[in-house]
Amino acid sequence: MKRLLFLLAILALGIGAYFLLRDDGVLEQVTEARVEAALLGNGVPADMAGCMAPRLTDRLSIVQLRRLERMAPQEGEPAIPPSTDAALERLRRVDDQQAVEQLVRVAAGCGVELMFGG
């Protein structure tokens, strides 16, 4: 009887893990929603945030997405950087070249796509 309960518990954990970690699972949806909310919260227009969020979650790990959160304005900083130097300083805080490169590529791709109505 204990062995049967143990096997059922293992099966339940396996099914739960499948629904959580599969390609369109709960974990990915939550992450994508969180990325979109963070983009919106940092002044990215809704169309652009909606385009960028799924692409960023496809291309970056959870750790890299968390590193990108370092770009958020710190206490005393305006939501949108007032100069190129201020924007570059926020990018330097990320300290992950691959994450920054993907952010720039995704932003550029979405910008072109939205500009031409794609």
Side-chain angles (χ1 to χ4, degrees):
M1 183 64 160
K2 287 182 182 181
R3 186 172 184 198
L4 178 61
L5 288 174
F6 179 73
L7 289 174
L8 287 174
I10 295 288
L11 180 63
L13 284 172
I15 291 170
Y18 168 76
F19 283 107
L20 186 67
L21 300 174
R22 65 188 171 134
D23 285 341
D24 60 344
V26 174
L27 185 60
E28 182 175 316
Q29 292 169 1
V30 170
T31 302
E32 188 175 312
R34 182 176 172 186
V35 170
E36 186 170 356
L39 291 168
L40 291 169
N42 284 291
V44 176
D47 293 359
M48 188 74 153
C51 177
M52 290 177 66
R55 294 177 187 192
L56 288 172
T57 56
D58 284 347
R59 296 177 186 194
L60 299 175
S61 69
I62 298 288
V63 171
Q64 289 176 307
L65 291 168
R66 287 199 179 122
R67 286 182 186 145
L68 286 178
E69 289 176 343
R70 296 177 189 163
M71 286 179 39
Q74 294 179 345
E75 191 171 325
E77 289 182 333
I80 298 174
S83 67
T84 304
D85 287 340
L88 290 173
E89 181 57 37
R90 289 190 190 182
L91 286 173
R92 283 187 204 101
R93 289 194 301 234
V94 174
D95 196 31
D96 184 328
Q97 184 177 350
Q98 183 186 21
V100 171
E101 285 176 7
Q102 287 302 317
L103 176 70
V104 170
R105 286 181 182 175
V106 165
C110 286
V112 169
E113 188 175 305
L114 292 172
M115 185 170 59
F116 291 110

